[in-house]
Amino acid sequence: MFPAKVISGRAAALALAVTLGGVAAANAGTLDTVKQRGNLICGVSQGLLGFSSKDDAGKWSGFDVDFCRAVATAVFGDPEKVTYVPLSAAERFDALKDGKVDLLSRNSTWTMSRETDLPLAFAGVTYYDGQGFMVKRDSGKVSALELDGATVCVQSGTTSEQNFVDYFDTNTMKFTKVAADSPEQSLENYKSGKCNVITTDVSQLYSERATLADAGDHLILPDVISKEPLGPVVRQDDAKWRALVTWVHNAMLNAEELGVSSERVDEAKASKKPDVMRLVGTDGGFGEKLGLNNDWAINIVKTVGNYGESYERNLGVGSKLGIPRGMNQLWSLGGIQYAPPIR
């Protein structure tokens, strides 16, 4: 029998080992976890045409989905190594906080309270948006200021709900609110005539209008009543993962600005221009600093495309939504999309 003192010492050592092991597990970085698992778990919407939606074959596509694919490409060199988790507006942030997803790419607005009240962090603005209103074209309304007395459909638990109330109150207009738990229900309420106005982000209005059989009979008013910078969200306790996600977005923007597209990858790899060489990984070793291979950025462009390619494919004037680039044009072309340089 061992002396009590020895037993006590070994028990203490075992307890310390367990404690340190628990701390190590708790502090395991998201990048390491994703690599060990072999795929990225990405939270997306439950179905928003142009941003994240699933077809009859179960394949996901959209602007937000492309961002998930871009992050997976950066980590694995393979855009298909993603598991998509559809999340409602009410459950999206809890799912991220609880570790059910590694990344939230789900048309979410960057606000101060979402970073101060939740242990979450936005990694950039992939889409500059604003809230608007849609009405039936035969209503004769051409401005949101003509909506006094309107019955308004809105999704509860979103920034849209408070924004429109503030707008109506500020302009001393009366309203009746019809709240819904999901965007689908809000649109159904509008279609069935429970309201004569529907409000949400302008991009979402374009998406919802495109699903209507009589899409041409509905008008998105020109008024934009709020700032809605949409972007990917990560947990606040992992600065390394946040930097990686941020630089995926920056790389896609820089690629477009530098003229590096999915069709010009080989040309870019042979380039001797310093900015292009750093982007494609032939100079600087910037991928290694993120825990990635140095060709991470050019792999994203090759498989997903640059920012402009993703925008035009999913949201642009040639897509089902037909949304002009507007503010989401590059800063050099009159928009406000601007990325720090890779250097």
Side-chain angles (χ1 to χ4, degrees), residues 42-88:
C42 201
V44 294
S45 75
Q46 294 171 304
L48 183 62
L49 184 66
F51 285 87
S52 50
S53 58
K54 185 168 63 171
D55 63 19
D56 293 339
K59 183 176 177 61
W60 285 89
S61 64
F63 186 72
D64 287 341
V65 168
D66 271 0
F67 192 78
C68 299
R69 297 175 70 240
V71 174
T73 300
V75 176
F76 299 109
D78 185 348
E80 302 306 317
K81 289 193 173 183
V82 185
T83 297
Y84 299 100
V85 179
L87 298 168
S88 69

mmCIF file of all heavy atoms in Angstrom, residues 42-88:
data_model
loop_
_atom_site.group_PDB
_atom_site.id
_atom_site.type_symbol
_atom_site.label_atom_id
_atom_site.label_comp_id
_atom_site.label_asym_id
_atom_site.label_seq_id
_atom_site.Cartn_x
_atom_site.Cartn_y
_atom_site.Cartn_z
ATOM 1 N N CYS A 42 -20.573 25.132 -41.937
ATOM 2 C CA CYS A 42 -20.918 26.521 -42.234
ATOM 3 C C CYS A 42 -22.411 26.753 -42.063
ATOM 4 O O CYS A 42 -23.244 26.048 -42.660
ATOM 5 C CB CYS A 42 -20.505 26.850 -43.673
ATOM 6 S SG CYS A 42 -20.313 28.613 -44.014
ATOM 7 N N GLY A 43 -22.772 27.737 -41.243
ATOM 8 C CA GLY A 43 -24.167 28.087 -41.040
ATOM 9 C C GLY A 43 -24.661 29.009 -42.138
ATOM 10 O O GLY A 43 -24.021 30.019 -42.443
ATOM 11 N N VAL A 44 -25.786 28.665 -42.747
ATOM 12 C CA VAL A 44 -26.363 29.446 -43.841
ATOM 13 C C VAL A 44 -27.852 29.663 -43.563
ATOM 14 O O VAL A 44 -28.387 29.184 -42.573
ATOM 15 C CB VAL A 44 -26.166 28.729 -45.198
ATOM 16 C CG1 VAL A 44 -24.686 28.662 -45.560
ATOM 17 C CG2 VAL A 44 -26.761 27.317 -45.158
ATOM 18 N N SER A 45 -28.520 30.374 -44.455
ATOM 19 C CA SER A 45 -29.949 30.606 -44.281
ATOM 20 C C SER A 45 -30.724 29.327 -44.588
ATOM 21 O O SER A 45 -30.184 28.366 -45.147
ATOM 22 C CB SER A 45 -30.431 31.735 -45.194
ATOM 23 O OG SER A 45 -30.516 31.273 -46.535
ATOM 24 N N GLN A 46 -31.990 29.345 -44.271
ATOM 25 C CA GLN A 46 -32.837 28.192 -44.552
ATOM 26 C C GLN A 46 -33.333 28.180 -45.995
ATOM 27 O O GLN A 46 -34.026 27.254 -46.407
ATOM 28 C CB GLN A 46 -34.032 28.188 -43.590
ATOM 29 C CG GLN A 46 -33.623 27.955 -42.138
ATOM 30 C CD GLN A 46 -34.764 28.164 -41.171
ATOM 31 O OE1 GLN A 46 -35.385 29.227 -41.151
ATOM 32 N NE2 GLN A 46 -35.049 27.164 -40.364
ATOM 33 N N GLY A 47 -32.919 29.186 -46.742
ATOM 34 C CA GLY A 47 -33.287 29.250 -48.143
ATOM 35 C C GLY A 47 -33.565 30.666 -48.589
ATOM 36 O O GLY A 47 -34.652 31.185 -48.346
ATOM 37 N N LEU A 48 -32.583 31.304 -49.200
ATOM 38 C CA LEU A 48 -32.737 32.662 -49.714
ATOM 39 C C LEU A 48 -32.071 32.706 -51.084
ATOM 40 O O LEU A 48 -30.846 32.680 -51.192
ATOM 41 C CB LEU A 48 -32.100 33.683 -48.768
ATOM 42 C CG LEU A 48 -32.247 35.153 -49.165
ATOM 43 C CD1 LEU A 48 -33.724 35.554 -49.190
ATOM 44 C CD2 LEU A 48 -31.482 36.057 -48.192
ATOM 45 N N LEU A 49 -32.888 32.732 -52.108
ATOM 46 C CA LEU A 49 -32.401 32.686 -53.479
ATOM 47 C C LEU A 49 -31.308 33.723 -53.713
ATOM 48 O O LEU A 49 -31.451 34.887 -53.352
ATOM 49 C CB LEU A 49 -33.559 32.931 -54.453
ATOM 50 C CG LEU A 49 -33.232 32.833 -55.946
ATOM 51 C CD1 LEU A 49 -32.850 31.414 -56.312
ATOM 52 C CD2 LEU A 49 -34.427 33.298 -56.782
ATOM 53 N N GLY A 50 -30.204 33.277 -54.299
ATOM 54 C CA GLY A 50 -29.091 34.167 -54.590
ATOM 55 C C GLY A 50 -28.046 34.193 -53.498
ATOM 56 O O GLY A 50 -26.882 34.480 -53.767
ATOM 57 N N PHE A 51 -28.443 33.895 -52.262
ATOM 58 C CA PHE A 51 -27.506 33.916 -51.137
ATOM 59 C C PHE A 51 -27.188 32.517 -50.626
ATOM 60 O O PHE A 51 -26.018 32.127 -50.557
ATOM 61 C CB PHE A 51 -28.047 34.804 -50.014
ATOM 62 C CG PHE A 51 -27.922 36.260 -50.307
ATOM 63 C CD1 PHE A 51 -28.913 36.937 -51.014
ATOM 64 C CD2 PHE A 51 -26.804 36.976 -49.907
ATOM 65 C CE1 PHE A 51 -28.785 38.282 -51.312
ATOM 66 C CE2 PHE A 51 -26.657 38.327 -50.199
ATOM 67 C CZ PHE A 51 -27.657 38.981 -50.904
ATOM 68 N N SER A 52 -28.198 31.772 -50.259
ATOM 69 C CA SER A 52 -27.974 30.371 -49.892
ATOM 70 C C SER A 52 -29.277 29.612 -50.032
ATOM 71 O O SER A 52 -30.234 29.874 -49.296
ATOM 72 C CB SER A 52 -27.423 30.244 -48.469
ATOM 73 O OG SER A 52 -28.179 30.963 -47.535
ATOM 74 N N SER A 53 -29.311 28.701 -50.985
ATOM 75 C CA SER A 53 -30.497 27.886 -51.211
ATOM 76 C C SER A 53 -30.065 26.525 -51.740
ATOM 77 O O SER A 53 -28.989 26.380 -52.327
ATOM 78 C CB SER A 53 -31.462 28.567 -52.181
ATOM 79 O OG SER A 53 -30.829 28.835 -53.424
ATOM 80 N N LYS A 54 -30.922 25.547 -51.530
ATOM 81 C CA LYS A 54 -30.612 24.165 -51.911
ATOM 82 C C LYS A 54 -31.559 23.727 -53.017
ATOM 83 O O LYS A 54 -32.775 23.946 -52.927
ATOM 84 C CB LYS A 54 -30.749 23.263 -50.676
ATOM 85 C CG LYS A 54 -30.338 21.825 -50.896
ATOM 86 C CD LYS A 54 -30.215 21.062 -49.580
ATOM 87 C CE LYS A 54 -31.519 20.967 -48.842
ATOM 88 N NZ LYS A 54 -31.436 20.043 -47.667
ATOM 89 N N ASP A 55 -31.021 23.102 -54.061
ATOM 90 C CA ASP A 55 -31.869 22.652 -55.164
ATOM 91 C C ASP A 55 -32.447 21.269 -54.859
ATOM 92 O O ASP A 55 -32.219 20.691 -53.786
ATOM 93 C CB ASP A 55 -31.095 22.658 -56.490
ATOM 94 C CG ASP A 55 -29.912 21.685 -56.517
ATOM 95 O OD1 ASP A 55 -29.878 20.748 -55.679
ATOM 96 O OD2 ASP A 55 -29.037 21.844 -57.381
ATOM 97 N N ASP A 56 -33.202 20.722 -55.798
ATOM 98 C CA ASP A 56 -33.887 19.448 -55.598
ATOM 99 C C ASP A 56 -32.908 18.290 -55.406
ATOM 100 O O ASP A 56 -33.261 17.268 -54.811
ATOM 101 C CB ASP A 56 -34.813 19.151 -56.776
ATOM 102 C CG ASP A 56 -35.985 20.130 -56.850
ATOM 103 O OD1 ASP A 56 -36.301 20.745 -55.809
ATOM 104 O OD2 ASP A 56 -36.550 20.300 -57.943
ATOM 105 N N ALA A 57 -31.688 18.482 -55.905
ATOM 106 C CA ALA A 57 -30.674 17.430 -55.757
ATOM 107 C C ALA A 57 -29.888 17.565 -54.456
ATOM 108 O O ALA A 57 -28.980 16.776 -54.185
ATOM 109 C CB ALA A 57 -29.722 17.461 -56.952
ATOM 110 N N GLY A 58 -30.249 18.591 -53.657
ATOM 111 C CA GLY A 58 -29.572 18.789 -52.382
ATOM 112 C C GLY A 58 -28.308 19.610 -52.461
ATOM 113 O O GLY A 58 -27.571 19.715 -51.478
ATOM 114 N N LYS A 59 -28.044 20.228 -53.612
ATOM 115 C CA LYS A 59 -26.825 21.020 -53.784
ATOM 116 C C LYS A 59 -27.087 22.468 -53.378
ATOM 117 O O LYS A 59 -28.040 23.091 -53.840
ATOM 118 C CB LYS A 59 -26.353 20.965 -55.234
ATOM 119 C CG LYS A 59 -25.044 21.712 -55.483
ATOM 120 C CD LYS A 59 -24.581 21.542 -56.910
ATOM 121 C CE LYS A 59 -23.316 22.335 -57.196
ATOM 122 N NZ LYS A 59 -22.183 21.916 -56.352
ATOM 123 N N TRP A 60 -26.210 23.002 -52.537
ATOM 124 C CA TRP A 60 -26.323 24.385 -52.076
ATOM 125 C C TRP A 60 -25.611 25.337 -53.033
ATOM 126 O O TRP A 60 -24.564 25.002 -53.593
ATOM 127 C CB TRP A 60 -25.722 24.530 -50.689
ATOM 128 C CG TRP A 60 -26.565 23.970 -49.592
ATOM 129 C CD1 TRP A 60 -26.551 22.688 -49.112
ATOM 130 C CD2 TRP A 60 -27.566 24.670 -48.840
ATOM 131 N NE1 TRP A 60 -27.486 22.545 -48.108
ATOM 132 C CE2 TRP A 60 -28.121 23.745 -47.916
ATOM 133 C CE3 TRP A 60 -28.048 25.982 -48.851
ATOM 134 C CZ2 TRP A 60 -29.117 24.098 -47.016
ATOM 135 C CZ3 TRP A 60 -29.047 26.338 -47.961
ATOM 136 C CH2 TRP A 60 -29.579 25.403 -47.053
ATOM 137 N N SER A 61 -26.175 26.527 -53.195
ATOM 138 C CA SER A 61 -25.525 27.543 -54.022
ATOM 139 C C SER A 61 -25.928 28.914 -53.523
ATOM 140 O O SER A 61 -26.875 29.067 -52.752
ATOM 141 C CB SER A 61 -25.920 27.386 -55.498
ATOM 142 O OG SER A 61 -27.315 27.613 -55.665
ATOM 143 N N GLY A 62 -25.200 29.932 -53.977
ATOM 144 C CA GLY A 62 -25.505 31.302 -53.599
ATOM 145 C C GLY A 62 -24.262 32.060 -53.178
ATOM 146 O O GLY A 62 -23.172 31.494 -53.021
ATOM 147 N N PHE A 63 -24.423 33.345 -53.008
ATOM 148 C CA PHE A 63 -23.322 34.241 -52.657
ATOM 149 C C PHE A 63 -22.720 33.872 -51.300
ATOM 150 O O PHE A 63 -21.498 33.794 -51.149
ATOM 151 C CB PHE A 63 -23.854 35.675 -52.644
ATOM 152 C CG PHE A 63 -22.814 36.734 -52.430
ATOM 153 C CD1 PHE A 63 -21.909 37.054 -53.421
ATOM 154 C CD2 PHE A 63 -22.760 37.447 -51.237
ATOM 155 C CE1 PHE A 63 -20.954 38.061 -53.236
ATOM 156 C CE2 PHE A 63 -21.822 38.447 -51.036
ATOM 157 C CZ PHE A 63 -20.914 38.744 -52.034
ATOM 158 N N ASP A 64 -23.563 33.643 -50.292
ATOM 159 C CA ASP A 64 -23.063 33.246 -48.974
ATOM 160 C C ASP A 64 -22.467 31.846 -49.008
ATOM 161 O O ASP A 64 -21.495 31.558 -48.307
ATOM 162 C CB ASP A 64 -24.189 33.302 -47.937
ATOM 163 C CG ASP A 64 -24.572 34.729 -47.559
ATOM 164 O OD1 ASP A 64 -23.762 35.647 -47.801
ATOM 165 O OD2 ASP A 64 -25.676 34.923 -47.011
ATOM 166 N N VAL A 65 -23.047 30.969 -49.804
ATOM 167 C CA VAL A 65 -22.508 29.613 -49.959
ATOM 168 C C VAL A 65 -21.130 29.675 -50.600
ATOM 169 O O VAL A 65 -20.210 28.943 -50.206
ATOM 170 C CB VAL A 65 -23.474 28.747 -50.786
ATOM 171 C CG1 VAL A 65 -22.811 27.441 -51.219
ATOM 172 C CG2 VAL A 65 -24.730 28.450 -49.982
ATOM 173 N N ASP A 66 -20.971 30.554 -51.589
ATOM 174 C CA ASP A 66 -19.658 30.720 -52.225
ATOM 175 C C ASP A 66 -18.593 31.098 -51.201
ATOM 176 O O ASP A 66 -17.433 30.680 -51.311
ATOM 177 C CB ASP A 66 -19.720 31.795 -53.314
ATOM 178 C CG ASP A 66 -20.096 31.231 -54.672
ATOM 179 O OD1 ASP A 66 -20.314 30.010 -54.775
ATOM 180 O OD2 ASP A 66 -20.175 32.023 -55.638
ATOM 181 N N PHE A 67 -18.979 31.905 -50.208
ATOM 182 C CA PHE A 67 -17.992 32.282 -49.210
ATOM 183 C C PHE A 67 -17.595 31.082 -48.360
ATOM 184 O O PHE A 67 -16.414 30.913 -48.033
ATOM 185 C CB PHE A 67 -18.497 33.419 -48.320
ATOM 186 C CG PHE A 67 -17.416 34.018 -47.470
ATOM 187 C CD1 PHE A 67 -16.514 34.915 -48.021
ATOM 188 C CD2 PHE A 67 -17.261 33.654 -46.141
ATOM 189 C CE1 PHE A 67 -15.472 35.447 -47.266
ATOM 190 C CE2 PHE A 67 -16.228 34.184 -45.371
ATOM 191 C CZ PHE A 67 -15.334 35.078 -45.937
ATOM 192 N N CYS A 68 -18.549 30.244 -48.013
ATOM 193 C CA CYS A 68 -18.216 28.997 -47.303
ATOM 194 C C CYS A 68 -17.250 28.164 -48.145
ATOM 195 O O CYS A 68 -16.263 27.615 -47.631
ATOM 196 C CB CYS A 68 -19.471 28.185 -47.025
ATOM 197 S SG CYS A 68 -20.717 28.980 -46.000
ATOM 198 N N ARG A 69 -17.539 28.056 -49.418
ATOM 199 C CA ARG A 69 -16.697 27.277 -50.330
ATOM 200 C C ARG A 69 -15.301 27.882 -50.431
ATOM 201 O O ARG A 69 -14.302 27.154 -50.531
ATOM 202 C CB ARG A 69 -17.351 27.190 -51.708
ATOM 203 C CG ARG A 69 -18.685 26.457 -51.694
ATOM 204 C CD ARG A 69 -19.377 26.501 -53.051
ATOM 205 N NE ARG A 69 -18.677 25.677 -54.024
ATOM 206 C CZ ARG A 69 -18.153 26.125 -55.139
ATOM 207 N NH1 ARG A 69 -18.240 27.413 -55.464
ATOM 208 N NH2 ARG A 69 -17.533 25.316 -55.964
ATOM 209 N N ALA A 70 -15.223 29.207 -50.404
ATOM 210 C CA ALA A 70 -13.931 29.881 -50.478
ATOM 211 C C ALA A 70 -13.084 29.586 -49.244
ATOM 212 O O ALA A 70 -11.871 29.337 -49.348
ATOM 213 C CB ALA A 70 -14.131 31.384 -50.638
ATOM 214 N N VAL A 71 -13.698 29.603 -48.064
ATOM 215 C CA VAL A 71 -12.968 29.293 -46.834
ATOM 216 C C VAL A 71 -12.503 27.845 -46.849
ATOM 217 O O VAL A 71 -11.363 27.531 -46.472
ATOM 218 C CB VAL A 71 -13.827 29.579 -45.588
ATOM 219 C CG1 VAL A 71 -13.122 29.116 -44.316
ATOM 220 C CG2 VAL A 71 -14.140 31.081 -45.492
ATOM 221 N N ALA A 72 -13.364 26.935 -47.303
ATOM 222 C CA ALA A 72 -12.975 25.527 -47.395
ATOM 223 C C ALA A 72 -11.818 25.346 -48.367
ATOM 224 O O ALA A 72 -10.896 24.549 -48.123
ATOM 225 C CB ALA A 72 -14.170 24.680 -47.830
ATOM 226 N N THR A 73 -11.843 26.095 -49.455
ATOM 227 C CA THR A 73 -10.747 26.020 -50.424
ATOM 228 C C THR A 73 -9.444 26.527 -49.811
ATOM 229 O O THR A 73 -8.381 25.944 -50.022
ATOM 230 C CB THR A 73 -11.079 26.839 -51.679
ATOM 231 O OG1 THR A 73 -12.267 26.313 -52.285
ATOM 232 C CG2 THR A 73 -9.951 26.781 -52.690
ATOM 233 N N ALA A 74 -9.515 27.602 -49.050
ATOM 234 C CA ALA A 74 -8.322 28.138 -48.395
ATOM 235 C C ALA A 74 -7.706 27.105 -47.462
ATOM 236 O O ALA A 74 -6.480 26.947 -47.404
ATOM 237 C CB ALA A 74 -8.670 29.406 -47.616
ATOM 238 N N VAL A 75 -8.556 26.386 -46.731
ATOM 239 C CA VAL A 75 -8.068 25.426 -45.740
ATOM 240 C C VAL A 75 -7.642 24.099 -46.375
ATOM 241 O O VAL A 75 -6.583 23.563 -46.059
ATOM 242 C CB VAL A 75 -9.152 25.165 -44.670
ATOM 243 C CG1 VAL A 75 -8.686 24.092 -43.676
ATOM 244 C CG2 VAL A 75 -9.485 26.460 -43.930
ATOM 245 N N PHE A 76 -8.483 23.585 -47.278
ATOM 246 C CA PHE A 76 -8.266 22.234 -47.811
ATOM 247 C C PHE A 76 -7.868 22.192 -49.284
ATOM 248 O O PHE A 76 -7.477 21.138 -49.781
ATOM 249 C CB PHE A 76 -9.547 21.400 -47.660
ATOM 250 C CG PHE A 76 -10.012 21.222 -46.245
ATOM 251 C CD1 PHE A 76 -11.156 21.865 -45.795
ATOM 252 C CD2 PHE A 76 -9.317 20.415 -45.357
ATOM 253 C CE1 PHE A 76 -11.610 21.696 -44.501
ATOM 254 C CE2 PHE A 76 -9.754 20.243 -44.058
ATOM 255 C CZ PHE A 76 -10.900 20.887 -43.622
ATOM 256 N N GLY A 77 -8.025 23.320 -49.987
ATOM 257 C CA GLY A 77 -7.818 23.290 -51.429
ATOM 258 C C GLY A 77 -8.991 22.661 -52.150
ATOM 259 O O GLY A 77 -8.908 22.340 -53.333
ATOM 260 N N ASP A 78 -10.112 22.486 -51.450
ATOM 261 C CA ASP A 78 -11.270 21.786 -52.003
ATOM 262 C C ASP A 78 -12.551 22.486 -51.550
ATOM 263 O O ASP A 78 -12.887 22.469 -50.361
ATOM 264 C CB ASP A 78 -11.271 20.335 -51.513
ATOM 265 C CG ASP A 78 -12.381 19.494 -52.128
ATOM 266 O OD1 ASP A 78 -13.298 20.066 -52.757
ATOM 267 O OD2 ASP A 78 -12.343 18.257 -51.977
ATOM 268 N N PRO A 79 -13.298 23.098 -52.475
ATOM 269 C CA PRO A 79 -14.502 23.844 -52.097
ATOM 270 C C PRO A 79 -15.660 22.961 -51.667
ATOM 271 O O PRO A 79 -16.660 23.458 -51.135
ATOM 272 C CB PRO A 79 -14.854 24.609 -53.375
ATOM 273 C CG PRO A 79 -14.334 23.740 -54.476
ATOM 274 C CD PRO A 79 -13.058 23.153 -53.939
ATOM 275 N N GLU A 80 -15.545 21.665 -51.893
ATOM 276 C CA GLU A 80 -16.643 20.761 -51.553
ATOM 277 C C GLU A 80 -16.579 20.256 -50.123
ATOM 278 O O GLU A 80 -17.505 19.589 -49.654
ATOM 279 C CB GLU A 80 -16.659 19.579 -52.530
ATOM 280 C CG GLU A 80 -16.805 19.969 -53.987
ATOM 281 C CD GLU A 80 -18.017 20.855 -54.242
ATOM 282 O OE1 GLU A 80 -19.090 20.568 -53.674
ATOM 283 O OE2 GLU A 80 -17.881 21.844 -54.991
ATOM 284 N N LYS A 81 -15.511 20.558 -49.411
ATOM 285 C CA LYS A 81 -15.375 20.050 -48.043
ATOM 286 C C LYS A 81 -16.107 20.972 -47.062
ATOM 287 O O LYS A 81 -15.522 21.555 -46.149
ATOM 288 C CB LYS A 81 -13.898 19.903 -47.673
ATOM 289 C CG LYS A 81 -13.236 18.738 -48.409
ATOM 290 C CD LYS A 81 -11.897 18.385 -47.824
ATOM 291 C CE LYS A 81 -11.349 17.118 -48.464
ATOM 292 N NZ LYS A 81 -10.061 16.694 -47.856
ATOM 293 N N VAL A 82 -17.410 21.097 -47.293
ATOM 294 C CA VAL A 82 -18.274 21.932 -46.458
ATOM 295 C C VAL A 82 -19.539 21.163 -46.112
ATOM 296 O O VAL A 82 -20.143 20.526 -46.981
ATOM 297 C CB VAL A 82 -18.694 23.236 -47.174
ATOM 298 C CG1 VAL A 82 -19.486 24.131 -46.220
ATOM 299 C CG2 VAL A 82 -17.497 23.982 -47.727
ATOM 300 N N THR A 83 -19.936 21.237 -44.853
ATOM 301 C CA THR A 83 -21.249 20.770 -44.427
ATOM 302 C C THR A 83 -22.081 22.010 -44.124
ATOM 303 O O THR A 83 -21.674 22.852 -43.314
ATOM 304 C CB THR A 83 -21.157 19.894 -43.163
ATOM 305 O OG1 THR A 83 -20.391 18.725 -43.466
ATOM 306 C CG2 THR A 83 -22.548 19.480 -42.689
ATOM 307 N N TYR A 84 -23.223 22.134 -44.785
ATOM 308 C CA TYR A 84 -24.069 23.314 -44.617
ATOM 309 C C TYR A 84 -25.151 23.047 -43.575
ATOM 310 O O TYR A 84 -25.811 22.011 -43.593
ATOM 311 C CB TYR A 84 -24.709 23.704 -45.953
ATOM 312 C CG TYR A 84 -23.686 24.058 -46.999
ATOM 313 C CD1 TYR A 84 -23.312 23.131 -47.973
ATOM 314 C CD2 TYR A 84 -23.070 25.305 -46.991
ATOM 315 C CE1 TYR A 84 -22.353 23.447 -48.912
ATOM 316 C CE2 TYR A 84 -22.114 25.625 -47.936
ATOM 317 C CZ TYR A 84 -21.756 24.689 -48.891
ATOM 318 O OH TYR A 84 -20.788 25.002 -49.811
ATOM 319 N N VAL A 85 -25.306 24.006 -42.659
ATOM 320 C CA VAL A 85 -26.321 23.897 -41.614
ATOM 321 C C VAL A 85 -27.298 25.060 -41.778
ATOM 322 O O VAL A 85 -26.944 26.212 -41.505
ATOM 323 C CB VAL A 85 -25.684 23.934 -40.210
ATOM 324 C CG1 VAL A 85 -26.772 23.856 -39.141
ATOM 325 C CG2 VAL A 85 -24.683 22.798 -40.037
ATOM 326 N N PRO A 86 -28.523 24.790 -42.255
ATOM 327 C CA PRO A 86 -29.510 25.872 -42.397
ATOM 328 C C PRO A 86 -30.005 26.331 -41.035
ATOM 329 O O PRO A 86 -30.378 25.513 -40.194
ATOM 330 C CB PRO A 86 -30.629 25.218 -43.215
ATOM 331 C CG PRO A 86 -30.483 23.748 -42.978
ATOM 332 C CD PRO A 86 -29.020 23.494 -42.749
ATOM 333 N N LEU A 87 -29.985 27.642 -40.819
ATOM 334 C CA LEU A 87 -30.335 28.209 -39.512
ATOM 335 C C LEU A 87 -31.332 29.343 -39.668
ATOM 336 O O LEU A 87 -31.231 30.160 -40.592
ATOM 337 C CB LEU A 87 -29.073 28.747 -38.822
ATOM 338 C CG LEU A 87 -27.967 27.733 -38.501
ATOM 339 C CD1 LEU A 87 -26.686 28.456 -38.109
ATOM 340 C CD2 LEU A 87 -28.410 26.795 -37.385
ATOM 341 N N SER A 88 -32.272 29.408 -38.749
ATOM 342 C CA SER A 88 -33.215 30.524 -38.728
ATOM 343 C C SER A 88 -32.525 31.744 -38.144
ATOM 344 O O SER A 88 -31.457 31.644 -37.525
ATOM 345 C CB SER A 88 -34.442 30.167 -37.880
ATOM 346 O OG SER A 88 -34.079 30.087 -36.507
#
